[in-house]
Amino acid sequence: MIAPDAPVVLVGCGRLGSAIVEGWLATGFDPRRLIILSPSSKPVAEAAALRGARLNPDRSALAEAGAVVLAVKPALWRSVAEGLSDAFDPGAVIVSVMAGVRDEAISEAFLGRSVARVMPTTGVATGQGVAAIYAANRNAREAAHALFDPLADTVDLDQEVLIDVATAVAGSGPAYVHAFTRALAEAGEAQGLDADSALRLARGAVRSAASADPATPLGDLIARVASPGGTTEAGLKALANGRALDASVEAAVTAALARARELAR
Ligand SMILES: NC(=O)c1ccc[n+]([C@@H]2O[C@H](COP(=O)([O-])OP(=O)(O)OC[C@H]3O[C@@H](n4cnc5c(N)ncnc54)[C@H](OP(=O)(O)O)[C@@H]3O)[C@@H](O)[C@H]2O)c1
């Protein structure tokens, strides 16, 4: 477990790194605990610095860190590790949000430190994300939970290979839903709606679905909208069309997973 007041270093403040900082700042994380390493200026990092975060401080400041969140592109991580591995305390936990980089490789590059892998969505920016967590080591798992529980629905995985599956489902999932929304809008347009109205209606439908009570089973939520013999039931039958929807979604997850495994090689 990292000490509640131990500094946390974020390495990389791009799309995901910025979303994590936004989420932390919005959920009560003390900005004075935050150290951000970023080669270029980022609005979110500057905003955090105004509230007390340290931006690219002297290397000596890194020695105090209890956890290091690694949010750089997988292609760059080795050179980043080479430059930083001896800057941290041996007890610091490395929390990687990188897709496709194995914990063993990260631990080796960071001189044997404990590693947690976390696969979050950018929804963490508003505390609405989901994050899969894998760590072989209990201390690393607890550190990942301490950092991500306030920002996301955290899902524990007991095997590292499942992180790639989580990436294919939740990491890529928002894009699948956007593609579905676009198809819904285009179908409305094809039936006579103007483009703007069709898009607003489709987005509104997806928003309503997303805001449904998460404790209610999906079958019940579907049944609430689809009365027997009604319009929704007719639409659902066409959508299922001999499992066509299930098969398409399964194909999307399988293809994303295969790509994640290719990238990890
Ligand atoms: N985006 C997502 O939704 C998402 C979801 C799950 C996981 N991930 C993972 O998160 C990681 C980052 O993805 P991203 O989309 O946020 O990429 P990104 O926007 O390109 O961010 C990466 C950041 O790393 C910074 N960087 C490069 N070299 C650095 C160094 N030596 N020290 C500190 N920072 C350095 C870059 O700085 P500059 O901008 O100055 O070049 C950039 O801002 C990836 O490994 C990805 O697999 C992303």
Side-chain angles (χ1 to χ4, degrees):
M1 191 64 193
I2 50 173
D5 54 349
V8 173
V9 178
L10 175 74
V11 188
C13 197
R15 273 171 301 171
L16 183 58
S18 290
I20 292 170
V21 173
E22 274 186 75
W24 280 337
L25 294 181
T27 54
F29 185 98
D30 181 352
R32 290 166 302 178
R33 280 179 66 199
L34 184 57
I35 296 175
I36 301 174
L37 304 185
S38 175
S40 63
S41 169
K42 303 287 179 204
V44 172
E46 301 295 338
L50 286 175
R51 294 175 57 184
R54 285 173 283 174
L55 199 45
N56 299 318
D58 277 357
R59 194 180 163 83
S60 59
L62 306 182
E64 305 158 27
V68 180
V69 178
L70 208 50
V72 296
K73 288 283 191 202
L76 281 180
W77 82 272
R78 279 198 182 276
S79 63
V80 169
E82 266 171 35
L84 289 176
S85 59
D86 58 359
F88 305 113
D89 184 85
V93 171
I94 311 297
V95 179
S96 166
V97 296
M98 298 183 296
V101 185
R102 301 281 171 249
D103 76 339
E104 207 180 333
I106 299 168
S107 180
E108 197 181 306
F110 281 91
L111 312 176
R113 290 186 181 82
S114 303
V115 172
R117 289 189 60 195
V118 179
M119 190 46 57
T121 59
T122 48
V124 293
T126 54
Q128 298 292 315
V130 62
I133 294 181
Y134 169 79
N137 170 293
R138 186 168 149 210
N139 189 40
R141 192 178 286 270
E142 284 178 2
H145 273 284
L147 293 172
F148 283 91
D149 283 357
L151 313 183
D153 179 10
T154 46
V155 178
D156 272 301
L157 302 178
D158 59 6
Q159 296 170 57
E160 188 177 13
V161 289
L162 295 178
I163 281 276
D164 290 339
V165 183
T167 307
V169 172
S172 310
Y176 308 153
V177 175
H178 296 316
F180 175 85
T181 310
R182 183 172 56 198
L184 187 59
E186 284 171 359
E189 216 180 316
Q191 296 297 335
L193 290 168
D194 66 78
D196 179 58
S197 303
L199 192 57
R200 282 171 56 204
L201 288 164
R203 280 185 187 274
V206 172
R207 215 169 36 244
S208 302
S211 63
D213 174 11
T216 306
L218 290 172
D220 293 1
L221 291 173
I222 291 170
R224 276 182 203 170
V225 186
S227 18
T231 55
T232 307
E233 190 182 72
L236 281 171
K237 272 188 191 149
L239 196 60
N241 188 22
R243 287 196 78 249
L245 176 67
D246 300 33
S248 297
V249 173
E250 195 182 323
V253 170
T254 305
L257 179 58
R259 184 67 183 139
R261 289 182 174 156
E262 265 171 32
L263 291 173
R265 272 190 218 129

